Amino acid sequence: MRTAMGEPGPGRRRLYQVWKGSNKFLCGGRLIFGPDAGSLLLSTVLIANPLAGLCFQCITKLNSGTSDKQALGVPALVATILLGLADLAFLLLTSSRDPGIVPRNARPPERGRGDDDPAAATVEDDDVAMPSAEWMLIAAASLHLRLPRTRDVPVAGGHVVRVKYCDTCLLYRPPRASHCSVCNNCVHKFDHHCPWVGQCIGLRNYRFFFLFIATSSFLCLYVFALSWLNIAAQRGSHGGSLLRSMAGEPLSLVLIVYTFVSAWFVGGLTVFHIYLMSTNQTTYENFRYRYDKKENPYDRGVLANISEVFCTGMPPSMNRFRAWVEPPEPLIDGGPLASRNKIDLVGPDEKLLVDLETGHRHPGGGVPAILQGLHYAEMEKNGASVHIKDRQSAEAPDPFMIPEAPQHDDGEVE
């Protein structure tokens, strides 16, 4: 609800301001970058340097006043500027947009929501029931320990794929989604995290990523060819000697070496992604599942696979990063509580907050004996078995017991 002045209510913030991922936002949440967005500056310099060198040569040849036929004329200068701007535009479109981030859940999936929702979970009915009331309280507060780690989801073509539960985003990942450890987000059709663009490559920016590397490859070949043509055009001024012409054009020689090395990297990457597009794979799937050894459930043929990348509408973002969100409700410790790591136990006589993994107690109460003896690593691994470590040491002292005063041999109390 907004106030009479049109401002948001007290305590409300936009989603991008409270987003738990590692992304960086600019322009009020309109642009989203990865945490390593600083690498964009390096990529821009690597692209702009050879183009600036070629433009400098073109301008120098135009101002030389010679009537000889030149390879670096006005058409070459205009083409270099346009190709450079297009390459930088594709770089910005790749790195500054939502790659397909899957919205996070505020809490684990609820029991009994059904199998139609890919983000829902159905807890197995054969969970081991513990007679201890304390254990039932712990199990209810740590639902993720009882959730199946994987589930089978049908996809197009009658295939069934297995999806995993994400402990960070508290959801079952959609098919072809994966969690990026750099950006700390689950991304739809996750391909990889590219450090050169400082962003994940996913469903909503893959086509721009491919256009970026394809344009970069073409620019390398373009600068390489024009530099050789410029050296060849100067042979007449050096007695027809190619070596003397190369020595007389050191900038062209540097550009030849620079673009030759770069073309192997970006050119090879472009060819690899052409193969991935034609077979409808992602980089993650190619290295993880090796579809060349088993059937790819997403392959529909070369033409259909390529048209899926370039000829389909861009899906909208699943997150409204500029939307207003309510502030989180305050908890016992005054801060956010990760549902899979901590338990909030509130009783009539005590309030305490316990970290499930470390057993560390937070201000507000002590750790009860039942929690001190739990083997949490085994709980996470098995989900249903509980090991009690040193039951005798788990007995809690009686806070109302009055210690006996020491006595002397004559029976007199000190």
Side-chain angles (χ1 to χ4, degrees):
M1 180 180 296
R2 291 178 176 268
T3 62
M5 298 298 294
E7 295 296 330
R12 298 186 65 188
R13 306 179 69 184
R14 295 190 186 273
L15 178 60
Y16 78 89
Q17 295 175 321
V18 296
W19 187 253
K20 294 182 179 180
S22 303
N23 304 91
K24 297 179 180 178
F25 296 87
L26 293 179
C27 300
R30 294 177 177 87
L31 301 179
I32 174 174
F33 297 89
D36 50 350
S39 59
L40 278 175
L41 179 61
L42 176 61
S43 300
T44 303
V45 171
L46 293 176
I47 295 172
N49 278 345
L51 298 180
L54 186 61
C55 290
F56 175 77
Q57 280 197 313
C58 291
I59 296 174
T60 302
K61 300 301 180 181
L62 291 175
N63 295 332
S64 62
T66 59
S67 58
D68 297 338
K69 184 178 180 180
Q70 296 290 343
L72 304 180
V74 175
L77 177 62
V78 174
T80 302
I81 294 175
L82 293 179
L83 287 174
L85 292 177
D87 197 26
L88 294 177
F90 290 139
L91 173 62
L92 183 62
L93 288 172
T94 303
S95 60
S96 64
R97 68 187 296 117
D98 177 7
I101 299 175
V102 181
R104 294 169 178 256
N105 282 337
R107 55 185 60 85
E110 297 178 0
R111 182 171 181 168
R113 286 177 58 187
D115 294 334
D116 295 335
D117 185 359
T122 301
V123 181
E124 299 294 340
D125 295 332
D126 57 352
D127 287 343
V128 178
M130 301 295 292
S132 170
E134 290 87 349
W135 165 249
M136 295 302 297
L137 181 59
I138 295 172
S142 56
L143 179 61
H144 78 287
L145 295 179
R146 300 186 291 121
L147 291 175
R149 306 310 300 171
T150 61
R151 24 180 345 200
D152 294 333
V153 177
V155 295
H159 296 88
V160 176
V161 297
R162 179 161 293 180
V163 299
K164 295 182 179 180
Y165 178 75
C166 179
D167 292 312
T168 302
C169 300
L170 303 179
L171 51 82
Y172 283 94
R173 300 166 187 161
R176 311 194 79 177
S178 184
H179 191 88
C180 175
S181 59
V182 180
C183 294
N184 196 25
N185 296 311
C186 282
V187 179
H188 245 309
K189 201 177 179 182
F190 176 77
D191 190 271
H192 69 289
H193 182 92
C194 181
W196 297 101
V197 302
Q199 181 64 283
C200 290
I201 307 302
L203 178 65
R204 300 189 68 250
N205 64 348
Y206 180 80
R207 69 176 62 172
F208 299 112
F209 171 76
F210 179 81
L211 292 173
F212 164 65
I213 59 176
T215 307
S216 300
S217 301
F218 180 77
L219 273 176
C220 289
L221 299 177
Y222 174 79
V223 175
F224 181 84
L226 280 186
S227 298
W228 270 119
L229 290 176
N230 179 57
I231 291 176
Q234 301 299 320
R235 292 179 59 183
S237 303
H238 298 87
S241 174
L242 182 61
L243 293 178
R244 292 180 181 178
S245 179
M246 294 173 61
E249 296 290 335
L251 183 55
S252 293
L253 188 60
V254 171
L255 292 177
I256 289 173
V257 175
Y258 182 91
T259 54
F260 178 79
V261 175
S262 301
W264 282 102
F265 174 71
V266 293
L269 190 62
T270 303
V271 172
F272 175 65
H273 278 277
I274 291 176
Y275 160 73
L276 292 179
M277 279 195 306
S278 63
T279 56
N280 205 340
Q281 298 184 63
T282 64
T283 302
Y284 179 83
E285 292 170 346
N286 180 261
F287 284 94
R288 180 70 180 270
Y289 302 116
R290 305 300 300 178
Y291 284 141
D292 55 345
K293 298 181 180 179
K294 60 180 180 180
E295 184 181 4
N296 181 0
Y298 308 106
D299 189 2
R300 299 185 300 160
V302 176
L303 294 179
N305 293 336
I306 295 178
S307 64
E308 181 180 322
V309 177
F310 295 105
C311 302
T312 57
M314 181 65 65
S317 175
M318 292 178 286
N319 299 278
R320 297 176 57 195
F321 290 108
R322 288 181 48 78
W324 294 101
V325 294
E326 297 292 340
E329 297 181 0
L331 298 175
I332 296 174
D333 62 346
L337 178 63
S339 60
R340 76 181 189 95
N341 290 334
K342 299 177 181 179
I343 301 178
D344 184 11
L345 300 179
V346 181
D349 300 323
E350 61 176 354
K351 290 185 178 180
L352 53 92
L353 192 63
V354 180
D355 193 307
L356 277 177
E357 296 179 353
T358 64
H360 175 70
R361 57 183 178 180
H362 298 263
V367 180
I370 185 64
L371 293 182
Q372 294 177 359
L374 287 180
H375 197 298
Y376 301 105
E378 292 296 330
M379 289 172 56
E380 182 71 20
K381 180 179 179 181
N382 301 325
S385 61
V386 180
H387 300 268
I388 304 298
K389 301 185 300 181
D390 195 4
R391 292 179 178 270
Q392 296 180 355
S393 63
E395 296 295 335
D398 187 357
F400 300 102
M401 183 183 66
I402 302 177
E404 297 181 359
Q407 299 182 355
H408 296 289
D409 293 339
D410 55 0
E412 185 178 353
V413 180
E414 288 186 352

